[in-house]
Amino acid sequence: MSFPVVRMRRLRKDENLRRLVRETGLSVNDLILPLFVCPGKNVRNEIKSMPGNYQLSVDELVKECTEVRDLQIPGVILFGIPEKKDELGSEAYSDNGIIQRAVRAVREKVPGLLVITDVCMCEYTSHGHCGVIKNGSVDNDATLVFLAKEALSHAKAGADIIAPSDMMDGRVGAIRRVLDENGFDDTPIMAYSAKYASSFYGPFRDAAESPPKFGDRKGYQMDPGNGAEALREVELDIKEGADIVMVKPALSYLDIIYRVKNAFSMPVAAYNVSGEFSCVKAAARNGWIDGDRVMMEILYSIKRAGADIILTYFAKDAARLLGS
Ligand code: PBG
């Protein structure tokens, strides 16, 4: 027998062969598009640091969501930019707040699309932190009360899934309890379980106008050096009633996605965050990389690591390429 008998290249020589042996599937079913909703009418403000993404008034949001549904993308996650911010983020849990109005409109006008709401206070507070400030830092237990109120008002407005992103201890349990007590025992929670204090959130904070006015989020979001701690965070959220657990960001944390998927038999979501998106767009605009191919390679890597669901600003572009 002449060397080599085994030739790995045999199965790579043709696209149909490659399709047959491709280990990882990527489909439009895996994608969720994040969208930003703001006050006003006919507003469609492009976010400079996130090309192709907009702050949308409710009427424009409805149009966008119709397009998303027609692309067969299963759902959107909504972030609100309130009329005015205050110390306690009161628009976050007002039944007539921006998100509550947006959810009602999308549920009414765009049937067949899942509406997920991000539950956090940073977009609504004047100081930009994810909770109530006491003595210069975020008070965990005082914040839980507000997060639970916010989640309940989202559920009442018709949110299909509640997604807390604040990283307070005990918030999944607090939200689960309030939802159950009010007849929303069927509303799932997608918990941002392993959410890191990441600089990849930069463009999002432009979009949501939510950077902290003092300090940073390192006192509640996870330290990028930690891995085992992510498993403890996920385990706690599962015990408190999370239905889907999330790792965020995705790309610098593919090892965490892999570990979480292997450790727990849970649906795992990964958030391919704003900075990860913007880096690709910027390089593609400069002609330094092929943006579409890099996008697909990134989405495959997140699936290969073990994510079932990908929240990504690429969702519409990817859906078009995937031929939905
Ligand atoms: C709110 C929240 C943030 C993101 C999602 N929810 C920002 C933050 O924690 O500062 C970031 C998403 C992205 O960068 O795309 N807490």
Side-chain angles (χ1 to χ4, degrees):
M1 236 177 334
S2 62
F3 175 84
V5 177
V6 177
R7 289 180 181 274
M8 298 304 284
R9 291 182 54 189
R10 280 180 203 129
L11 297 179
R12 293 178 194 152
K13 64 178 181 243
D14 173 273
E15 176 57 13
N16 281 330
L17 270 173
R18 292 191 292 268
R19 283 171 58 204
L20 282 173
V21 300
R22 189 164 294 142
E23 297 169 35
T24 306
L26 175 67
S27 103
V28 66
N29 298 339
D30 308 324
L31 307 175
I32 292 172
L33 178 68
L35 291 172
F36 301 94
V37 54
C38 66
K41 235 183 157 344
N42 301 318
V43 181
R44 205 176 169 84
N45 275 342
E46 188 163 27
I47 300 151
K48 284 197 187 65
S49 54
M50 299 176 70
N53 289 265
Y54 302 82
Q55 295 177 330
L56 302 165
S57 52
V58 172
D59 53 322
E60 289 290 325
L61 176 75
V62 165
K63 289 186 204 156
E64 183 76 14
C65 285
T66 307
E67 192 187 330
V68 171
R69 182 200 53 198
D70 293 348
L71 282 166
Q72 315 287 329
I73 294 168
V76 293
I77 181 164
L78 301 182
F79 297 92
I81 301 142
E83 200 94 52
K84 54 181 188 329
K85 308 190 185 220
D86 58 34
E87 189 70 20
L88 292 178
S90 54
E91 204 174 317
Y93 41 87
S94 150
D95 285 342
N96 219 15
I98 184 72
I99 281 293
Q100 291 78 358
R101 281 184 280 134
V103 170
R104 285 195 291 268
V106 176
R107 284 298 305 268
E108 187 199 331
K109 307 230 170 78
V110 197
L113 181 71
L114 279 177
V115 180
I116 305 168
T117 56
D118 181 88
V119 169
C120 194
M121 295 180 71
C122 60
E123 295 126 66
Y124 305 93
T125 50
S126 43
H127 44 74
H129 277 286
C130 302
V132 179
I133 301 291
K134 276 197 190 146
N135 305 322
S137 81
V138 176
D139 184 295
N140 192 87
D141 299 10
T143 300
L144 297 183
V145 179
F146 292 96
L147 293 169
K149 273 170 74 161
E150 182 179 357
L152 178 59
S153 81
H154 290 182
K156 279 187 184 155
D160 293 297
I161 302 180
I162 300 292
S165 70
D166 52 282
M167 287 302 277
M168 296 303 121
D169 289 318
R171 93 280 205 207
V172 172
I175 290 172
R176 186 71 272 160
R177 206 168 314 116
V178 167
L179 291 178
D180 290 355
E181 282 166 6
N182 287 276
F184 294 102
D185 43 296
D186 249 358
T187 303
I189 296 177
M190 175 165 73
Y192 288 69
S193 302
K195 176 172 175 181
Y196 286 85
S198 170
S199 296
F200 283 102
Y201 307 151
F204 173 95
R205 292 179 189 171
D206 290 343
E209 301 173 5
S210 64
K213 298 281 186 302
F214 64 90
D216 52 40
R217 304 209 202 289
K218 292 181 187 162
Y220 39 100
Q221 299 180 347
M222 282 182 58
D223 187 298
N226 293 353
E229 188 192 352
L231 300 184
R232 294 183 63 205
E233 283 281 8
V234 168
E235 188 177 6
L236 281 168
D237 284 359
I238 295 170
K239 283 197 181 126
E240 291 177 30
D243 301 282
I244 300 170
V245 292
M246 193 200 295
V247 175
K248 179 187 171 192
L251 291 185
S252 298
Y253 302 90
L254 291 174
D255 58 324
I256 307 299
I257 297 172
Y258 182 81
R259 288 170 73 175
V260 168
K261 189 61 195 175
N262 280 297
F264 306 98
S265 42
M266 290 285 292
V268 174
Y271 201 138
N272 176 214
V273 301
S274 57
E276 299 174 323
F277 169 85
S278 300
C279 287
V280 173
K281 286 287 173 190
R285 283 192 163 187
N286 274 310
W288 295 339
I289 57 172
D290 178 326
D292 280 349
R293 293 175 123 182
V294 168
M295 166 181 78
M296 294 309 264
E297 192 172 332
I298 284 174
L299 296 175
Y300 267 107
S301 77
I302 298 170
K303 280 294 306 275
R304 197 184 63 239
D308 302 290
I309 300 167
I310 308 175
L311 294 86
T312 178
Y313 304 94
F314 288 123
K316 288 201 303 180
D317 290 348
R320 284 192 199 102
L321 280 187
L322 289 165
S324 67

